[in-house]
């Protein structure tokens, strides 16, 4: 059975004297830096001089370059986008690493795919919140915390687990639970959600929208029904708190019957084939290689797909609904 850690398993004293360098003051960087500081730890921020730097100044930090923060920090947290970590590591972090430092990640990507190969004399730890940065901060301020995955890839000091758990405690994660994993498992499962589950959800919603509008249903009514009312997100919340099938009781018997009878094994077989393909691309490294090629080519495909998505008629319909709901609230 998976191992869960809570506050009682972690001791902040393990890292109290170790300056923590947060490299990248973005979604995760800002939330984690603020939580770590509120937990009484020494936090340094390393960033380029731009809007994120300014935000760090407004939050009361004295930001410095990533290279300088890495030099001064003993726990160095790489909280920049995954696809730029290798370059940044080689240029600014690797030359600054000292024996017994800890290199911390919020996602296992760079280690899982061998893009970063840290020296044997540093700890390599993972503290990966299962939550966007704003959620990590908001839950912490409410006295709770975002659950996270923790892993140790390399234990050079014999203290890597204590450091990882102390870090998880300081960002609030062990107030709920930190689940023990590996860099490979965390990365592969995270990518599975993004590359096998979400494409099915997105494609089904867009196809359903197009079909229903083509069959004469009002676009606004279709979008409201499919997602814009917020009912589906309410259901996902109940799935998390009650359980996938147990929350069915919150819906009418007609709804339950419809969902259960139409979740056929034939449909599941088709979806399984999609899931198998996604998993194979993740495990073989095919997706990681494709993404690296895309980064090197300047994100041409990524930018084109995003532009196309934002041109779909459903965007305008959503805008109409949002404005109508806003006017109704005023
Ligand atoms: P963001 O996109 O929010 O990171 C932005 C930060 O990275 C900024 O400080 C930015 O600074 C810096 N940055 C971007 N490009 C470069 C570069 N080429 N060189 C130096 N700095 C750069 O990242 P996230 O917080 O989303 O992700 C950080 C890590 O956290 C990733 O490993 C991600 O997988 C993981 N994670 C993210 C979650 C999320 O909520 N988004 C959830 C869980 C894990 P500047 O613009 O000044 O260069």
């Amino acid at each position: 059975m998976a191992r869960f850690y809570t506050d009682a398993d972690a001791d902040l004293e393990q890292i109290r004297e170790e300056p923590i360098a947060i490299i990248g003051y973005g979604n995760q960087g800002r939330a984690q830096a603020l939580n770590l500081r509120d937990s009484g730890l020494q936090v340094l921020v390393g960033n380029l001089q731009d809007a994120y730097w300014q935000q760090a100044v407004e939050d009361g930090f004295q930001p410095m370059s990533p290279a300088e923060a890495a030099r001064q920090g003993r726990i160095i947290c790489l909280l920049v986008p995954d696809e730029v970590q290798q370059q940044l590591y080689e240029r600014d972090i690797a030359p600054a690493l000292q024996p017994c430092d800890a290199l911390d990640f919020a996602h296992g990507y760079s280690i899982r795919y061998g893009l970063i190969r840290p020296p044997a004399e540093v700890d390599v730890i993972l503290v990966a919140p299962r939550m966007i940065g704003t959620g990590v901060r908001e839950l912490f301020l409410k006295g709770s915390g975002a659950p996270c995955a923790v892993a140790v890839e390399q234990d050079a000091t014999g203290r890597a687990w204590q450091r990882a758990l102390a870090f998880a405690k300081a960002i609030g994660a062990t107030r709920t639970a930190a689940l023990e994993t590996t860099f490979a498992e965390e990365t592969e499962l995270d990518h599975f959600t993004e590359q096998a589950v979400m494409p099915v959800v997105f494609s089904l919603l867009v196809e359903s929208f197009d079909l229903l509008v083509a069959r004469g249903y009002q676009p606004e009514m279709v979008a409201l029904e499919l997602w814009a009312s917020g009912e589906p997100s309410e259901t996902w919340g109940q799935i998390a708190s009650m359980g996938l099938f147990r929350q069915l009781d919150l819906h009418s018997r007609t709804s339950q019957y419809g969902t259960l009878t139409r979740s056929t094994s034939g449909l599941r077989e088709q979806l399984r084939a999609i899931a198998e393909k996604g998993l194979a691309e993740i495990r073989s490294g095919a997706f990681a290689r494709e993404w690296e090629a895309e980064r090197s080519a300047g994100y041409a495909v990524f930018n084109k797909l995003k532009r196309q998505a934002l041109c779909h008629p459903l965007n305008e319909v959503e805008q109409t609904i949002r404005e109508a709901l806003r006017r109704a609230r005023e």
Side-chain angles (χ1 to χ4, degrees), residues 21 23 70 74-79 85 89 93-94 97-98 100-106 110-111 116-119 121-127 151-154 160 163-164 167 183:
I23 311 294
R74 298 285 57 88
I75 298 176
I76 295 117
C77 310
L78 261 186
L79 299 180
Q85 287 183 1
Y89 173 81
I93 313 298
L97 284 178
Q98 294 178 25
C100 302
D101 280 356
L103 198 53
D104 164 77
F105 294 84
S110 296
I111 296 292
I116 292 179
R117 297 181 192 276
E121 62 272 19
V122 304
D123 289 345
V124 181
I125 62 176
L126 174 79
V127 181
V152 169
E153 180 76 9
Q154 201 164 279
R163 285 168 127 179
F167 191 104
F183 275 66

Side-chain angles (χ1 to χ4, degrees), residues 166-300:
F167 191 104
K169 182 173 189 170
I171 64 167
T174 48
R175 291 174 181 174
T176 44
L179 180 55
E180 184 175 328
T181 184
T182 61
F183 275 66
E185 184 177 66
E186 188 274 340
T187 305
E188 290 169 20
L189 291 181
D190 192 59
H191 282 205
F192 185 81
T193 307
E194 295 164 359
Q195 295 164 38
V197 178
M198 293 315 285
V200 170
V201 173
F202 269 50
S203 302
L204 185 59
L205 289 175
V206 175
E207 281 304 313
S208 301
F209 180 89
D210 288 344
L211 170 78
L212 293 168
V213 172
R215 296 287 158 86
Y217 296 93
Q218 301 177 80
E220 293 77 13
M221 191 59 200
V222 172
L224 198 69
E225 177 60 37
L226 289 176
W227 65 83
S229 68
E231 190 189 4
S233 51
E234 189 66 28
T235 298
W236 282 107
Q238 293 300 347
I239 285 174
S241 54
M242 291 177 71
L244 192 59
F245 293 125
R246 290 190 198 287
Q247 62 80 36
L248 282 173
D249 287 341
L250 301 176
H251 305 266
S252 70
R253 277 150 58 100
T254 317
S255 155
Q256 294 180 48
Y257 179 78
T259 300
L260 290 170
T261 52
R262 268 59 185 172
S263 298
T264 60
S265 56
L267 177 62
R268 285 207 294 270
E269 262 169 39
Q270 285 174 324
L271 293 174
R272 187 180 170 111
I274 294 172
E276 291 277 18
K277 182 172 179 291
L279 188 59
E281 287 178 353
I282 293 163
R283 292 177 73 148
S284 68
F287 175 85
R289 286 191 292 278
E290 179 185 321
W291 183 220
E292 171 54 22
E294 176 65 6
R295 184 196 66 77
S296 304
Y299 301 105

Side-chain angles (χ1 to χ4, degrees), residues 23-30 32 46-53 66 78-82 84-85 87-88 91-92 105-109 127-134 136 186 190:
I23 311 294
Y25 201 70
N27 283 311
Q28 283 297 320
R30 178 170 188 242
Q32 295 196 20
N47 206 91
L48 305 178
Q49 288 200 31
D50 60 8
Y52 292 104
W53 171 290
L78 261 186
L79 299 180
V80 299
D82 299 295
V84 305
Q85 287 183 1
Q87 272 184 329
L88 184 74
R91 194 189 59 215
D92 292 340
F105 294 84
H107 179 38
Y109 185 86
V127 181
R130 307 330 294 170
M131 186 71 69
I132 56 172
T134 47
V136 170
E186 188 274 340
D190 192 59

